[in-house]
Amino acid sequence: MFENNELPPRGDRLAGKAAIVTGAGSRERSAPGIGYAMAVLFARQGARVVVADMDEARAATTLKVIGEGGGEGSFIGADITREEDCRKLAEGCVERYGSLDILVNNAGIAGSGKVTDYEEEVWDVALDVNLRGPVMACKYAAPCMAAGGGGSIINISSIDGLLAGAYLNVPYSVAKGGLATLTKLMAVHHGRENIRVNCLAPGHVHASFTAGFADEERERRRKIGPLGTEGTAWDVAYAALYFASDEARWISGIVMPVDGGLLAATPLAVMGNLGE
Ligand SMILES: NC(=O)c1ccc[n+]([C@@H]2O[C@H](COP(=O)([O-])OP(=O)(O)OC[C@H]3O[C@@H](n4cnc5c(N)ncnc54)[C@H](O)[C@@H]3O)[C@@H](O)[C@H]2O)c1
């Protein structure tokens, strides 16, 4: 299993709700993914969770942990870049659980290079998985939510989608920036259906997505932040839990960094942290 795999405490903040988390498996084994953490936490808080992934074996780990924790979850195989799979996801959730109350667009993929390194395939994949997939998932989820009286959509962007990041991931960053903008547009267009749409922008989190980073790079990412600590998938999951719950009934259209304070700083304000 994972290094920091403690199960969060049980509660009822999502009791009676049905949720879909895309990319709810973890690509890497050395650290739990953000999708995994959200699926497990939501189930611990009483939601019935559709663990959606294009890789069944990765999803199986998540489902095993949900089951061991006494929660309810089930798998729907879906590649979010396929419209038919996105339809199947939303309809499958309603068929199984009677409603669709929460959708987390978490599945994401890197896409590197500057504009001058442009390669059609790299851009296609980055935009397909990180932006077009979430759009299609919302296309089918939103009517199901509206039919049930409303819902909460949570898009997982990145600090790299808001500002120029450290790794020259232009296709990734542009797609994640699009996801932040999509959040605001959808919050306005679907507000009267009582659908809230919010976005989380994780920062220097050590999770599955970044598990391959060398120790020195991990250390640099930790040190530069105002809090000086490393984020985990659970930090992002707890922020998502708030957006998903009725506690956030009047919060919509916001993009919230989960970054230990990093985006509050100008570069010169935190540069000294590296010399600690
Ligand atoms: N870890 C970080 O530092 C960090 C920072 C900012 C943003 N993020 C974002 O967090 C999100 C999730 O990270 P994670 O750690 O859960 O990632 P991960 O790489 O472990 O991926 C989770 C799952 O997504 C699945 N997946 C990939 N493409 C898919 C597709 N087309 N359809 C369905 N499933 C697909 C994979 O099979 C995998 O099981 C990503 O969107 C990432 O961009 C991470």
Side-chain angles (χ1 to χ4, degrees):
M1 197 54 72
F2 305 109
E3 275 168 30
N4 51 342
N5 196 48
E6 74 281 6
L7 269 184
R10 296 191 78 149
D12 61 0
R13 291 170 67 185
L14 302 181
K17 295 188 188 296
I20 297 172
V21 179
T22 70
S26 293
R27 198 166 34 94
E28 294 291 335
R29 308 305 307 157
S30 57
I34 290 171
Y36 162 91
M38 290 187 292
V40 170
L41 180 61
F42 286 9
R44 291 289 282 175
Q45 290 291 334
R48 290 152 297 161
V49 182
V50 172
V51 171
D53 209 293
M54 63 182 194
D55 185 313
E56 188 163 5
R58 292 172 185 166
T61 304
T62 309
L63 282 170
K64 183 167 177 279
V65 175
I66 288 176
E68 284 168 1
E72 189 172 338
S74 58
F75 174 65
I76 295 183
D79 175 346
I80 56 153
T81 66
R82 298 173 43 144
E83 184 168 355
E84 179 55 19
D85 286 9
C86 292
R87 188 185 62 74
K88 210 173 64 180
L89 255 188
E91 291 178 3
C93 180
V94 175
E95 265 166 37
R96 278 177 200 184
Y97 298 135
S99 67
L100 169 50
D101 308 291
I102 300 157
L103 167 68
V104 186
N105 285 309
N106 167 75
I109 198 164
S112 53
K114 287 193 277 190
V115 163
T116 43
D117 303 318
Y118 175 83
E119 279 178 41
E120 188 170 315
E121 200 187 330
V122 173
W123 275 83
D124 282 351
V125 171
L127 291 171
D128 275 359
V129 179
N130 295 314
L131 186 56
R132 213 164 57 86
V135 168
M136 291 189 294
C138 289
K139 172 181 174 179
Y140 293 98
C144 298
M145 289 179 174
S152 171
I153 295 173
I154 301 159
N155 295 319
I156 306 300
S157 178
S158 166
I159 57 167
D160 284 10
L162 309 180
L163 297 170
Y167 307 117
L168 297 177
N169 278 324
V170 178
Y172 173 79
S173 301
V174 167
K176 290 293 193 182
L179 198 53
T181 301
L182 176 74
T183 299
K184 297 182 184 199
L185 302 181
M186 282 196 66
V188 173
H189 297 159
H190 298 277
R192 288 296 197 271
E193 294 163 332
N194 194 30
I195 297 174
R196 298 180 295 105
V197 189
N198 292 295
C199 179
L200 294 174
H204 296 161
V205 170
H206 182 63
S208 167
F209 202 76
T210 44
F213 283 13
D215 286 350
E216 311 86 75
E217 182 57 5
R218 240 178 110 174
E219 189 59 0
R220 219 161 61 99
R221 283 159 59 89
R222 175 190 72 71
K223 274 165 108 179
I224 191 84
L227 289 179
T229 49
E230 189 173 55
T232 73
W234 299 108
D235 295 312
V236 182
Y238 272 103
L241 171 62
Y242 171 62
F243 283 150
S245 77
D246 292 338
E247 296 153 17
R249 62 175 281 275
W250 217 52
I251 310 288
S252 193
I254 72 162
V255 179
M256 188 171 93
V258 183
D259 68 345
L262 190 65
L263 292 198
T266 58
L268 288 178
V270 286
M271 211 172 69
N273 288 346
L274 288 177
E276 270 172 11

